Amino acid sequence: MARMTMVEAIRETLRDEMARDERVILMGEDVGHLGGVFRATDGLQQRFSSQRVIDTPLAESVIAGSALGMALSGLIPVIEMQFLAFSQNAFHQICQQIGRTRFRTRGSHTAPITIRAPFGGNVKTPELHSDSMEPMYAHTTGLKIVMPSTAADAKGLLTTAIRDPDPVLFLEPLRGYRLIADEVPDGEHTVPFGELRTVREGTDVTIVTWSACVPVVEEAAEQLVAEGIDPHIVDLRTIVPLDEAALIAAVEKTGRCVVVHEAAAVSGFGAEIIALVQAQAFYVLEAPVARVTAPDAPYPTPGVEAFYIPDADQVARAVRDTLVD
């Protein structure tokens, strides 16, 4: 295995899948000549030609709509939204057209499209770049939502996404592109959707999280362990499909639960987790389920974004509150 950053693992996966299947094509703003604004597609147009790595106009709706047409014609498009927040311009194409293709055609057609999009803050981008918008898309039947937190998972889950017959929204933590680095399996490596990852075994409280918040929770765990608290941490990996059985088992193990994510609290995906735990694990709970999220406010300017994103101190404080009898 080689140690890679997350963006290196993504680039390697795109290269391998394009070499494996000539129907795989890439599209997006600056993905070709420039190699992507974050260099996730660097060198791929030079290797596979401008017919398979296509620079598009600044028009997200056109990118998504064109991908659907190509998919229905037998291709396997992997499209890049430069930032997830930009995908609001393509919301109709993604949710009302791409997501409904199998349903609308009564199963006679599918839309094997992977929509890659970086999201999340702490990298001082301008306004309308850093929003964590996964709950908005989680309402869309027919769309799978994948959110890796390691370079190895980025490779395994992206490979699975490209080979999936239905559309996948593949969300990449922006600040993790180069900060996250780990051992990535060589050669063929797939990770199935709907299987959470146990980050740390523990006995006192279960912390449920995903994507960019996983390193935040791991940092909080160092504080908690030093205080004699033993947290159990799970990374959902995919929020659609959700590994409900393993999630409930993880909560039942400790009887206490804290949910941590970067999206705002109201109608965030944490609310769905809490509802599920209340319905299926109510009688083992020894304390109300807590959550640590961004505030219900617009994403702020770069100078104050550190006050917006959940941090390790907030997570540790929520865990201590949950443990009070």
Side-chain angles (χ1 to χ4, degrees), residues 266-285:
V266 171
S267 296
F269 200 74
E272 179 65 25
I273 300 295
I274 293 170
L276 183 69
V277 170
Q278 291 285 99
Q280 298 191 21
F282 179 78
Y283 292 106
V284 305
L285 290 178

Side-chain angles (χ1 to χ4, degrees), residues 7 26 48 59 106 109 112 162 168 177 241 244 271:
V7 74
L26 310 186
F48 294 103
R106 307 298 187 265
H109 290 80
I162 294 172
V168 178
Y177 270 148
E244 295 186 6

Side-chain angles (χ1 to χ4, degrees), residues 149-150 173 175-176 179-180 197 199 209-222 312:
S149 67
T150 69
R175 66 177 179 272
L179 286 177
I180 292 174
R197 178 175 69 96
V199 178
T209 190
W210 54 91
S211 192
C213 280
V214 171
V216 175
V217 170
E218 290 180 298
E219 183 183 349
E222 293 178 7

Side-chain angles (χ1 to χ4, degrees), residues 98-277:
I98 292 174
R100 294 185 179 206
T101 297
R102 183 185 284 274
F103 173 79
R104 175 172 291 144
T105 63
R106 307 298 187 265
S108 63
H109 290 80
T110 62
I113 300 169
T114 300
I115 305 166
R116 296 182 40 248
F119 79 101
N122 223 10
V123 290
K124 301 190 183 305
T125 59
E127 187 183 13
L128 304 177
H129 285 66
S130 298
D131 302 77
S132 183
M133 299 163 52
E134 70 273 16
M136 187 173 77
Y137 288 101
H139 291 289
T140 301
T141 304
L143 193 64
K144 300 181 177 78
I145 302 179
V146 179
M147 304 182 73
S149 67
T150 69
D153 271 2
K155 176 176 180 177
L157 290 165
L158 182 56
T159 302
T160 302
I162 294 172
R163 298 179 186 182
D164 195 288
D166 291 303
V168 178
L169 183 60
F170 191 87
L171 303 183
E172 301 161 4
L174 184 50
R175 66 177 179 272
Y177 270 148
R178 289 173 175 78
L179 286 177
I180 292 174
D182 46 86
E183 299 292 323
V184 177
D186 299 323
E188 180 85 2
H189 175 53
T190 58
V191 174
F193 292 164
E195 290 188 9
L196 64 72
R197 178 175 69 96
T198 299
V199 178
R200 183 187 189 280
E201 293 281 356
T203 58
D204 292 336
V205 58
T206 298
I207 307 177
V208 180
T209 190
W210 54 91
S211 192
C213 280
V214 171
V216 175
V217 170
E218 290 180 298
E219 183 183 349
E222 293 178 7
Q223 294 183 34
L224 295 166
V225 169
E227 299 169 15
I229 299 170
D230 188 19
H232 185 78
I233 304 171
V234 295
D235 168 15
L236 294 183
R237 286 174 155 168
T238 64
I239 62 171
V240 182
L242 179 64
D243 191 351
E244 295 186 6
L247 171 64
I248 294 303
V251 174
E252 289 176 337
K253 179 178 180 179
T254 67
R256 302 174 195 270
C257 180
V258 175
V259 183
V260 182
H261 61 67
E262 195 169 315
V266 171
S267 296
F269 200 74
E272 179 65 25
I273 300 295
I274 293 170
L276 183 69
V277 170

